[in-house]
Amino acid sequence: MATDTAMRKQQDLQTQYQNHKSTLQNLAQKVGEIEGEIEEHKLVLDTLKPLPEDRTCFRLINGVLVQRTVKEVLPALQANNDGLKQVLDGLMKQYKTRESEMERWKKENKVQV
């Protein structure tokens, strides 16, 4: 009986560890995706900023290519970029919080990897 309880506890700890690890991996993946989108926005912004405001450009909105001017597109792109940066900051805080929770859990349960 004692070994059965010990094995069950070990399995529970392994499951909890895998859950913590999976959560951190998912957050890291989301962070990577957001960083990629921010980089794309930066590239487009850097390309459009030196152009005349009345120059025609095209923007893809929900799968539809829409003709606009640089003057119309720049503020929207900048707002999207700023929003993505806020989301990234939130994800980074969440990642650090989860990481510290995992470390605390490992210490409490004397888990060594």
Side-chain angles (χ1 to χ4, degrees):
M1 286 284 196
T3 57
D4 189 38
T5 305
M7 285 181 62
R8 196 171 294 143
K9 181 175 181 176
Q10 184 179 1
Q11 288 175 343
D12 288 345
L13 289 175
Q14 286 176 338
T15 301
Q16 290 173 4
Y17 175 76
Q18 290 299 327
N19 288 340
H20 282 296
K21 191 175 175 182
S22 175
T23 300
L24 286 175
Q25 287 174 338
N26 289 339
L27 284 171
Q29 182 179 358
K30 288 178 187 176
V31 164
E33 290 171 7
I34 298 295
E35 285 175 339
E37 287 186 40
I38 289 172
E39 194 59 38
E40 287 180 23
H41 275 71
K42 182 183 180 309
L43 180 65
V44 173
L45 284 167
D46 290 346
T47 301
L48 291 179
K49 280 181 182 175
L51 299 177
E53 289 184 341
D54 61 344
R55 181 166 176 174
T56 301
C57 63
F58 294 90
R59 182 174 181 207
L60 191 64
I61 301 174
N62 295 329
V64 178
L65 198 57
V66 180
Q67 184 174 344
R68 297 280 188 252
T69 63
V70 171
K71 183 179 180 178
E72 294 170 322
V73 170
L74 275 177
L77 277 175
Q78 190 62 53
N80 286 351
N81 195 39
D82 294 344
L84 286 170
K85 287 179 181 178
Q86 288 177 348
V87 169
L88 180 64
D89 288 344
L91 284 174
M92 291 301 293
K93 287 177 186 174
Q94 190 176 357
Y95 183 88
K96 289 176 183 176
T97 301
R98 294 289 178 118
E99 189 175 42
S100 64
E101 286 174 6
M102 183 176 175
E103 290 302 317
R104 186 177 64 242
W105 175 86
K106 283 167 54 176
K107 285 180 184 178
E108 287 173 1
N109 293 287
K110 298 176 183 150
V111 174
Q112 294 181 353
V113 181

